[in-house]
Amino acid sequence: VIVPAPEAVFNVFFAQADVIGADIVSSVTLLVMGYVGGLALGVVLGIVCGWIPRLRAMFFPIANVLAPIPPTVFAPYLIVLLPTFRTASCFIILLGVFWPQFLNMVVRTSSLDAQLLDNARTLGVRNFTMITRIILPYVLPEVLKGLRVSLTMLTFAEMLGASSGIGYFISNANNYANYTNVVAGIIVCGVVVTVLSFATAWVQRRFTTWR
């Protein structure tokens, strides 16, 4: 029962293809919303704090304290504060992406070669142009390097009252001791993660050709 026959597992892909397909779409949509939000906030705020010494001195120590805390710890508060379980799930993913990206951007921006910045200032480059034309290209490889996606947070997030998604599919099957579906869901997770990893690796090669 616990270790189902391989043919029974693969039969799930055919018998429940519609359900699995809908769950994959639901999971990827949730992952993209949370990941893109956390990535955008982490990059923008990290560059600003790394660029302005006063902000860096103020927020960098706070980020060092909050970053190691698993985002799942905030789940009870997010469920109470946010209107839906799906929104709470999205914010769990967002927090898990934001803090590492924020710290990375602060360190990367503050380590930019001072001579390069002095040359740009000598040419009369304004702050906005400095950020968009010098700092952003400098930190881009690190941003793309952090795009490797894991469904660990997603699987937990989808257990917070979710009614769809890969995490829900596995959790629901486990509740009914349907280990055939559990194993099938784990295989689907592996396939989705592999596809996303190849996609992010392609993006990294495509937009950092100088590396």
Side-chain angles (χ1 to χ4, degrees):
V1 174
I2 297 177
V3 184
E7 59 268 20
V9 173
F10 285 100
N11 184 58
V12 174
F13 300 137
F14 297 99
Q16 303 189 44
D18 294 342
V19 175
I20 293 175
D23 286 339
I24 291 174
V25 172
S26 176
S27 293
V28 172
T29 302
L30 180 64
L31 182 66
V32 168
M33 289 191 300
Y35 199 90
V36 170
L39 183 68
L41 288 174
V43 170
V44 173
L45 296 180
I47 289 176
V48 171
C49 288
W51 175 246
I52 303 174
R54 184 174 297 180
L55 292 179
R56 181 168 67 249
M58 184 184 304
F59 291 107
F60 191 70
I62 298 174
N64 272 319
V65 173
L66 294 177
I69 301 176
T72 53
V73 171
F74 300 102
Y77 294 98
L78 293 174
I79 291 173
V80 173
L81 294 174
L82 297 175
T84 64
F85 286 111
R86 189 169 177 82
T87 308
S89 299
C90 184
F91 263 82
I92 288 175
I93 298 172
L94 186 149
L95 290 175
V97 173
F98 170 77
W99 288 117
Q101 198 65 251
F102 176 82
L103 288 174
N104 193 20
M105 290 300 99
V106 172
V107 172
R108 183 75 172 168
T109 303
S110 60
S111 65
L112 188 60
D113 189 354
Q115 291 184 348
L116 182 63
L117 298 178
D118 291 338
N119 291 337
R121 291 191 184 100
T122 302
L123 295 172
V125 176
R126 298 181 180 275
N127 283 340
F128 180 76
T129 305
M130 186 87 74
I131 291 174
T132 57
R133 300 297 297 274
I134 296 176
I135 297 178
L136 270 179
Y138 178 74
V139 302
L140 184 61
E142 292 298 320
V143 173
L144 296 179
K145 189 185 295 182
L147 283 179
R148 295 304 174 96
V149 179
S150 171
L151 288 183
T152 304
M153 288 182 297
L154 176 64
T155 303
F156 176 85
E158 286 183 333
M159 295 178 183
L160 304 178
S163 59
S164 64
I166 301 173
Y168 169 77
F169 182 86
I170 296 173
S171 176
N172 186 57
N174 184 62
N175 290 337
Y176 291 97
N178 187 346
Y179 296 108
T180 302
N181 282 14
V182 170
V183 174
I186 292 172
I187 293 174
V188 171
C189 273
V191 172
V192 171
V193 169
T194 301
V195 171
L196 292 176
S197 295
F198 275 113
T200 52
W202 179 85
V203 170
Q204 185 176 353
R205 291 194 303 269
R206 173 67 177 79
F207 290 99
T208 57
T209 53
W210 66 90
R211 299 282 293 221

